[in-house]
Amino acid sequence: MANAEHLSILAQGVDAWNEWRRQNTIVLPDLTGANLISLKLHRIDLSRADLTSSFLSRANLNKAVLRMAV
């Protein structure tokens, strides 16, 4: 199950998420099983995120950073 705090930050939008990632570089985002269907995640930094069993259908991941994401 995804970390509730991480989902809350993501709900604030890509800019808020990316700023949080810049300030929390050692945190490994846990989005396990998250419903990300049809979200606009253009240019989001999901590096090192755990996306196991997440629902990403129709999500816009154009130019997203997915380095070392699982």
Side-chain angles (χ1 to χ4, degrees), residues 38-52:
S38 297
L39 290 184
K40 296 176 183 171
L41 303 175
H42 179 75
R43 296 184 185 263
I44 194 164
D45 180 1
L46 292 173
S47 57
R48 302 183 313 142
D50 187 345
L51 299 167
T52 305

Side-chain angles (χ1 to χ4, degrees), residues 1-3 30-33:
M1 179 171 228
N3 180 300
D30 181 4
L31 299 174
T32 305

Side-chain angles (χ1 to χ4, degrees), residues 1-66:
M1 179 171 228
N3 180 300
E5 178 185 359
H6 298 176
L7 288 175
S8 175
I9 296 165
L10 183 60
Q12 296 173 41
V14 171
D15 291 337
W17 175 269
N18 286 344
E19 181 60 30
W20 175 75
R21 293 292 291 136
R22 280 189 284 278
Q23 294 177 11
N24 296 278
T25 57
I26 63 170
V27 175
L28 300 176
D30 181 4
L31 299 174
T32 305
N35 180 355
L36 306 176
I37 294 173
S38 297
L39 290 184
K40 296 176 183 171
L41 303 175
H42 179 75
R43 296 184 185 263
I44 194 164
D45 180 1
L46 292 173
S47 57
R48 302 183 313 142
D50 187 345
L51 299 167
T52 305
S53 299
S54 293
F55 300 93
L56 294 161
S57 178
R58 297 182 308 275
N60 179 353
L61 294 168
N62 187 35
K63 298 187 180 182
V65 178
L66 297 166

